[in-house]
Amino acid sequence: MNKKRFMPLIMAFCVVLGILVGNFYARHASGNRLNIIGSGSNRLQNLLQIIDDQYVDTVNVNDLVERSMPNILRELDPHSVYISAKDVASANDDLKGSFSGIGVEFTIRQDTIHVQNVIKNGPAENAGIIAGDKIVSVDGKPFVGKIVTQEEAMRRLKGPKDTKVKIGVIRYGSEKPKYFTITRADIQTKSVTAAYMLDDKTGYMRIKNFGEATYQEMLVALARLGQLGFDNLVIDLRDNSGGLLDAAVAMVNEFLPAKKMIVFTQGRKFPRENYMSDGRGIYQTIPLVVLINEGTASAAEIFAGAIQDNDRGTIIGRRSFGKGLVQRPILFSDGSMIRLTIARYYTPSGRCIQKPYSPDGADKYDNDLIARYQHGEYFSQDSIKHSGPAYHTTLGRTVYGGGGITPDIFIPEDTADVTSYYKEAVMSGLMLQYAFHYTDNNRQRLKKYSEMKPLLNEISKHNVVGDFVTYAEKNGLQRRNLLVKRSHKLLQKYILSRIIYNMLDEEEWLKYLNSDDDAIRQSLDIFKRNAAFPTKQ
């Protein structure tokens, strides 16, 4: 009887002993014991615990996670991304339409920050900084040499509102630095970077991206054009990389009558959501042209697709990028963030314009624009390869999905005078460097001009191409007179445009570029023919 009484205790002791022995072997036996990792989503957490507990060297698990998360998201699609805590603020700046800093636009040349433009009424201008200053120290520490990168410059010059930063600058004509203490402030970044009249009846608006303030900026720009008497409108979305879907929807709404589909979204966990026009738009009948190219993406494609599918205006340019995925920002407790694709968006005709992708084809996806160039799509409309089926607009015109918005009127890239010399001059950065060098040396003479045309007349008196060729030769680009002669017009246009940009602003720069732009010419011709509203073909 006594043996039976102690049997449960003996069995319990054996179980505990077995667990202890098992744990010992699990910790100290060979690698084939990794099958203790559970199945499902817990495996990642268990794996990290095992690495932290048993790996031969000390491992910073947080760093390991930081490096792994981008790779995990990359397996999903090209636009689901991880953003570290230190980069979240700058990643959101474009969408917010503002950031806190000193208010300068700069370029890095010869390991030194050169102030290219100073924002009017901003902290830097109020402190006395002028375009052309070279920043050589920040908060009492030298800031020149290899340490000067775009990221490091932004980190040192940006900062919370009302904080101070002391910078030392070398000003043209002086060898000794001047010191300025600048109080950082909120700097507004414009999405609508130009709004002016192309002719007596045609307004032009350039939209750079779609952020929180873009809709309001557009209304202000339209009111400004209204005061100038515009009857037709060109909206330039070339190289607009997109942004907020809600901003694009609100903007399209201004141009559509009531109860028209703008876009709809749908995902595995997100049922279809329709975005419709409400009929309150002020500009429902104005003749409209939208310019796009291979750099037009995301929200900009929503805008162009809604205008095209509703036969509301004419799309001119080259096939757009092809991003039809919707991301949702999700914050983590440490301040980091992911932008996770949760749905696809579809234009009113039902097409998803997302171009094909796969995790094992990431390089192909990233190099798609290069592939388009190589097979001739930038030069011939017949070379466009659609990966999606045909759809139809309200009037029955054929449009295609699966790879961007194809324009109604194709504008080929002009390469007639492009030579190997011109390509090397651009790719090497020497033309940018020369333009800034010229601007620096002539700033005092040129600063009296506040508009593009008189400034252009002044610069055009000088042989900037010949001067550039000499400058480039001293910096390693061999002089090739026949090629220079053939590309003379392109070289001159590039150099003059950059000098105008350095001295004035983006609107004046665009005025110069648009004065000899085939897409602009085609737009004006459409308005003259009263053909801005597409008809069934």
Side-chain angles (χ1 to χ4, degrees), residues 229-247:
F230 81 113
D231 294 323
N232 312 307
L233 181 63
V234 176
I235 296 180
D236 192 345
L237 299 182
R238 289 176 293 185
D239 297 314
N240 182 318
S241 58
L244 298 178
L245 180 147
D246 288 345

Side-chain angles (χ1 to χ4, degrees), residues 72-200:
I72 293 172
L73 291 170
R74 196 175 295 122
E75 291 294 311
L76 302 177
D77 67 82
H79 301 292
S80 289
V81 295
Y82 171 75
I83 303 170
S84 65
K86 66 182 179 67
D87 294 327
V88 165
S90 58
N92 289 331
D93 282 344
D94 284 344
L95 299 180
K96 289 167 57 181
S98 68
F99 65 92
S100 182
I102 66 172
V104 298
E105 182 180 334
F106 64 85
T107 183
I108 297 173
R109 189 161 60 92
Q110 296 175 335
D111 297 330
T112 303
I113 292 178
H114 294 249
V115 177
Q116 187 162 297
N117 284 304
V118 181
I119 293 175
K120 292 179 181 178
N121 299 317
E125 183 182 69
N126 293 336
I129 303 297
I130 63 174
D133 283 347
K134 293 183 286 187
I135 297 177
V136 294
S137 70
V138 179
D139 286 331
K141 297 179 180 179
F143 191 50
V144 292
K146 298 299 182 185
I147 191 175
V148 180
T149 63
Q150 185 83 10
E151 294 74 18
E152 186 63 21
M154 299 289 276
R155 189 184 71 81
R156 297 193 184 200
L157 297 178
K158 283 185 174 182
K161 181 181 178 180
D162 295 328
T163 58
K164 297 181 184 297
V165 59
K166 182 180 180 181
I167 66 172
V169 306
I170 298 291
R171 187 157 290 173
Y172 183 75
S174 175
E175 296 181 359
K176 294 183 177 180
K178 297 176 179 288
Y179 294 95
F180 301 85
T181 298
I182 305 172
T183 302
R184 297 182 180 96
D186 288 336
I187 308 298
Q188 299 301 313
T189 56
K190 294 253 184 183
S191 295
V192 179
T193 56
Y196 69 94
M197 298 294 287
L198 292 170
D199 60 21
D200 291 342

Side-chain angles (χ1 to χ4, degrees), residues 60 93 335 341:
N60 187 320
D93 282 344
T341 296

Side-chain angles (χ1 to χ4, degrees), residues 194-196 198 202-206 225 233-234 236 510 514 520:
Y196 69 94
L198 292 170
T202 307
Y204 167 89
M205 183 191 309
R206 159 77 172 143
L225 293 173
L233 181 63
V234 176
D236 192 345
L510 284 165
N514 288 341
I520 297 294

Side-chain angles (χ1 to χ4, degrees), residues 56 123 125 158 417 428 473 527:
V56 61
E125 183 182 69
K158 283 185 174 182
D417 297 324
S428 66
E473 188 173 29
F527 294 133

